[in-house]
Amino acid sequence: MTGYILRRVLQAIPVFLGTTFLIYFMVFAMPGDPILALFGDKTPNPAVVAQLRAQYHLDQPFIVQYFIYLGGIFRGDFGLSFSGEPINQVLARTFPVTGRLAIMSIIFLAISGIFVGLVSGLRKGKLFDGSSLAVSLILISLPIFVIAFVAQYVFGVWLGWARTTVGSGAPLQDLILPALVLASASFAQVMRLTRSSVIETSGLDFVRTAYSKGLSRGRVIPVHILRNSLIPVVTYLATDFGVLLVGATITEGIFNVPGVGNTLFQAIRRGEGPTVVSFVTVMVLLYLVVNLVVDLLYGLLDPRIRYVK
């Protein structure tokens, strides 16, 4: 196990370096001058412009800028945003909010998607199966902003069960509705993936053998069927967790969530390269960590998987 973890960490290093290099190149290769954009229609003082370029190392060659930025990452210093605020503070303020939102969404998604997919797979062709497939098809066809606006009106305005916008500090009760909206966007995939995996696993020899030995359905379903059906589902949930961390821009905008998506969108609009690159770098690190954790979970879900050559 230790050797496997060490190999995965070593494999992550070139992935991290290559990804950050491409992101840095694409952001800073964009046309336009971000320093001049700070002044809008005003004509800036050339001395001020030169000072700002030096402050953000924009007067250096691209490769020098990248290595300066990389050195800052290893020191835990992501630099300054164009507003003068340390990016570390922006990350500390926004990532916990989006992290709570993503975790709540994954919990809702895992519970509902796996449960409905399991029941649907065990009752293939029955009324519950047909109804769940129809609901999942509707959710797949609806854009996320439509689901968000409908949920906002129905549960926030009409029924009054939730706030239509997230309050200051993003309390957990205000994040429930946005988390449900995010979970609904991926519910169909998790439900259908679980259903197909359960149907496939139910027909395997070891499941029939378990029934022939006299084991009850209460033992066979959770231990033999569900456990062996969860590997593709766990893989999807891990990937989706990373997507939720970076892809909640629309939902965060509609519900006014002060998280990563909102902040990243505003940074892109303002052309704040350091902020954009730093946020994406942290997201890459989270992706790598989540993928490592998921690979380790495989061994718990399926003992046949071994972390040796």
Side-chain angles (χ1 to χ4, degrees):
M1 178 69 74
T2 304
Y4 172 79
I5 296 176
L6 181 60
R7 288 197 302 272
R8 286 304 308 270
V9 171
L10 292 177
Q11 290 171 2
I13 293 176
V15 174
F16 171 76
L17 293 176
T19 306
T20 54
F21 180 82
L22 288 176
I23 294 169
Y24 200 90
F25 173 77
M26 288 187 292
V27 169
F28 285 90
M30 294 175 61
D33 192 328
I35 299 298
L36 294 179
L38 293 175
F39 297 91
D41 296 333
K42 299 179 181 179
T43 302
N45 189 321
V48 175
V49 173
Q51 181 182 356
L52 289 174
R53 291 187 190 280
Q55 180 179 352
Y56 292 100
H57 310 291
L58 297 178
D59 56 342
Q60 302 288 337
F62 164 75
I63 193 65
V64 176
Q65 295 181 45
Y66 173 71
F67 281 115
I68 292 175
Y69 171 75
L70 203 61
I73 292 178
F74 291 127
R75 296 193 306 270
D77 180 13
F78 288 93
L80 297 174
S81 66
F82 285 170
S83 64
E85 183 181 11
I87 297 178
N88 286 7
Q89 294 183 10
V90 181
L91 291 169
R93 184 176 65 249
T94 57
F95 259 94
V97 176
T98 300
R100 292 198 301 270
L101 180 64
I103 291 173
M104 292 173 64
S105 179
I106 283 292
I107 292 174
F108 294 149
L109 176 61
I111 294 175
S112 60
I114 293 175
F115 174 77
V116 174
L118 174 63
V119 177
S120 182
L122 295 174
R123 302 178 62 84
K124 179 183 177 182
K126 303 294 181 62
L127 177 62
F128 184 89
D129 182 34
S131 301
S132 60
L133 288 175
V135 171
S136 67
L137 183 61
I138 293 174
L139 292 176
I140 290 176
S141 63
L142 289 177
I144 184 66
F145 66 86
V146 173
I147 300 175
F149 280 127
V150 170
Q152 196 176 44
Y153 175 76
V154 173
F155 297 105
V157 178
W158 184 25
L159 298 176
W161 292 353
R163 294 185 54 172
T164 55
T165 58
V166 176
S168 177
L172 289 179
Q173 62 269 23
D174 288 359
L175 294 177
I176 292 177
L177 188 57
L180 288 173
V181 170
L182 281 176
S184 66
S186 300
F187 168 81
Q189 286 81 357
V190 174
M191 174 264 163
R192 287 171 174 258
L193 187 59
T194 305
R195 175 184 179 273
S196 61
S197 186
V198 166
I199 293 174
E200 180 182 358
T201 305
S202 298
L204 296 179
D205 291 339
F206 70 88
V207 175
R208 291 196 292 267
T209 301
Y211 279 123
S212 66
K213 288 182 177 181
L215 295 180
S216 64
R217 286 175 59 88
R219 174 70 178 174
V220 174
I221 291 175
V223 176
H224 297 279
I225 296 179
L226 180 59
R227 181 177 177 180
N228 289 280
S229 301
L230 283 181
I231 290 181
V233 180
V234 168
T235 303
Y236 179 85
L237 288 175
T239 305
D240 197 52
F241 179 73
V243 172
L244 291 176
L245 284 175
V246 302
T249 304
I250 297 176
T251 305
E252 287 189 0
I254 293 175
F255 289 95
N256 196 31
V257 180
V260 171
N262 243 340
T263 306
L264 187 58
F265 175 70
Q266 296 300 328
I268 294 173
R269 287 187 58 188
R270 293 191 297 264
E272 290 194 20
T275 304
V276 175
V277 173
S278 298
F279 270 59
V280 177
T281 298
V282 175
M283 294 169 189
V284 170
L285 290 173
L286 288 175
Y287 259 108
L288 294 175
V289 172
V290 169
N291 285 329
L292 176 61
V293 172
V294 170
D295 284 346
L296 297 178
L297 285 176
Y298 287 163
L300 298 177
L301 294 173
D302 191 347
R304 294 171 298 178
I305 298 177
R306 293 291 181 265
Y307 304 115
V308 295
K309 291 183 178 180

